[in-house]
Amino acid sequence: MSTERWWREIRRLPIEHTFETTRQGEVHSVQCLVMPAGWLPAGFEVQEAHPRALGPFYFKRLPVLARGLIRVQEGEEETRFNLALVGWTLLHFGSPEVTREEGGGVACYPIIGGFMLQPHDAAGGHLCVSMHRRAEGLRLCMEIKGYYSRIMGRGTVRRLRRWAYTYTQAAAHHFIARDFVRRVALALRTGEYGHI
């Protein structure tokens, strides 16, 4: 089957979606896709390197989805999402914490700064990407947890600010996360998973 046909098949797979915000403005968002076991390459098992490689895979895709408005600057100890026209750091991530788990693993990038993060927020949350082998297939996820967005404001979040966040930054994240899990599935299906 051609790459285009696999892409159409993968886009038909359901995306599990969780999105919650607290009254204090904390965001928890998860998007997952289960790639059917029969679609995996013969003998595929999640190796320790796979979860670690998911972040860079995502970072390479982001500028394409953002139509060049965001540039990703990767360093040894950090990654930054910069607004291309002016160079502002939108989000600043520390080194990933990679955890091996039964059937797979997760790489969590601490959010340590950036314009989109709530000012004076010492604990900026995490961006986590994961891959786990299950009986039904391979579960691929992207998760934002413990994140406080500048758009939401501080203290008790007002309805208008929650609405603004939900239909701007959260909507963009959901679009990007759905694309990410689908692209990983496509790379696995087409045999390009060596790039992950």
Side-chain angles (χ1 to χ4, degrees), residues 37-56:
W39 290 12
L40 291 170
F44 178 81
E45 292 297 329
V46 178
Q47 303 298 317
E48 188 171 338
H50 287 131
R52 182 177 302 281
L54 290 174

Side-chain angles (χ1 to χ4, degrees), residues 29-40:
S29 179
V30 185
Q31 289 74 37
C32 296
L33 173 144
V34 176
M35 185 177 175
W39 290 12
L40 291 170

Side-chain angles (χ1 to χ4, degrees), residues 45-144:
E45 292 297 329
V46 178
Q47 303 298 317
E48 188 171 338
H50 287 131
R52 182 177 302 281
L54 290 174
F57 186 87
Y58 166 62
F59 300 149
K60 285 178 180 54
R61 182 76 182 138
L62 181 62
V64 174
L65 292 172
R67 311 244 187 230
L69 294 175
I70 294 175
R71 289 195 181 130
V72 176
Q73 178 185 355
E74 291 183 80
E76 288 293 318
E77 300 293 323
E78 65 183 16
T79 301
R80 295 173 183 262
F81 295 173
N82 296 326
L83 190 59
L85 301 175
V86 293
W88 290 345
T89 298
L90 299 174
L91 288 172
H92 181 190
F93 300 91
S95 295
E97 301 159 11
V98 181
T99 306
R100 185 90 167 119
E101 299 171 344
E102 185 178 339
V106 61
C108 286
Y109 291 78
I111 303 169
I112 58 176
F115 182 76
M116 295 173 81
L117 181 64
Q118 184 59 245
H120 313 295
D121 185 10
H126 289 84
L127 167 71
C128 300
V129 288
S130 63
M131 175 185 285
H132 291 88
R133 184 74 190 256
R134 300 288 184 251
E136 66 273 14
L138 187 68
R139 184 177 172 83
L140 305 164
C141 296
M142 177 177 278
E143 177 180 16
I144 298 279

Side-chain angles (χ1 to χ4, degrees), residues 1-15:
M1 193 179 305
S2 71
T3 300
E4 294 80 23
R5 287 188 64 196
W6 273 116
W7 180 240
R8 285 195 299 273
E9 291 298 315
I10 288 168
R11 288 181 54 98
R12 290 186 181 118
L13 294 174
I15 302 283

